[in-house]
Amino acid sequence: QVQLVESGGGSVQAGGSLRLSCAASGDTSSVKNMGWFRQAPGKEREGVATIFTGGSSTTVSNSVKGRFTISQDNAKNTVYLQMNNLKPEDTAVYYCAAKGWGPSLAAYDYEYWGQGTQVTVSS
């Protein structure tokens, strides 16, 4: 199976930055795409960004485009989410997820999930 562990969450002021990390372990041979999702209280889980782990192809949601960047370090089996110019509406629990072939921002397409890390942005 695949295990995912997120880290890097915390509390920041509006306009600040955070970098989230997701370390993958276990049998990762079937993982071809990874994604970041977020869920605020009372809201549906929202796709934020995805990356094709076998190349450089990425997708970013319109709500964070220009502020967030997804990247990877394959040697470390780790995916990152660099979050700049954070806004209060970015406050949520952020989750890392993994799937096979085919990029997707839909949560129901993903098989493996981390436990999440809290991001809080104050004004």
Side-chain angles (χ1 to χ4, degrees):
Q1 302 300 322
V2 176
Q3 294 81 45
L4 305 173
V5 179
E6 303 99 333
S7 61
S11 181
V12 297
Q13 298 278 82
S17 298
L18 285 173
R19 188 176 77 155
L20 306 183
S21 299
C22 175
S25 61
D27 185 6
T28 61
S29 60
S30 65
V31 174
K32 303 301 178 184
N33 291 274
M34 296 185 67
W36 286 99
F37 296 79
R38 65 186 183 184
Q39 189 164 25
K43 302 283 189 177
E44 293 185 348
R45 191 164 296 187
E46 174 191 12
V48 175
T50 69
I51 187 166
F52 171 50
T53 57
S56 59
S57 179
T58 64
T59 59
V60 182
S61 70
N62 289 332
S63 62
V64 304
K65 195 168 296 180
R67 299 187 297 121
F68 292 10
T69 303
I70 188 170
S71 62
Q72 66 183 331
D73 184 342
N74 283 327
K76 298 180 179 180
N77 230 4
T78 300
V79 172
Y80 305 95
L81 185 68
Q82 179 67 47
M83 305 185 294
N84 297 327
N85 192 24
L86 284 160
K87 304 175 180 180
E89 51 262 45
D90 295 319
T91 295
V93 176
Y94 283 71
Y95 297 91
C96 177
K99 69 186 299 292
W101 296 105
S104 174
L105 281 171
Y108 56 76
D109 283 340
Y110 286 77
E111 182 176 4
Y112 302 104
W113 292 86
Q115 292 297 307
T117 185
Q118 177 71 47
V119 171
T120 302
V121 184
S122 59
S123 60

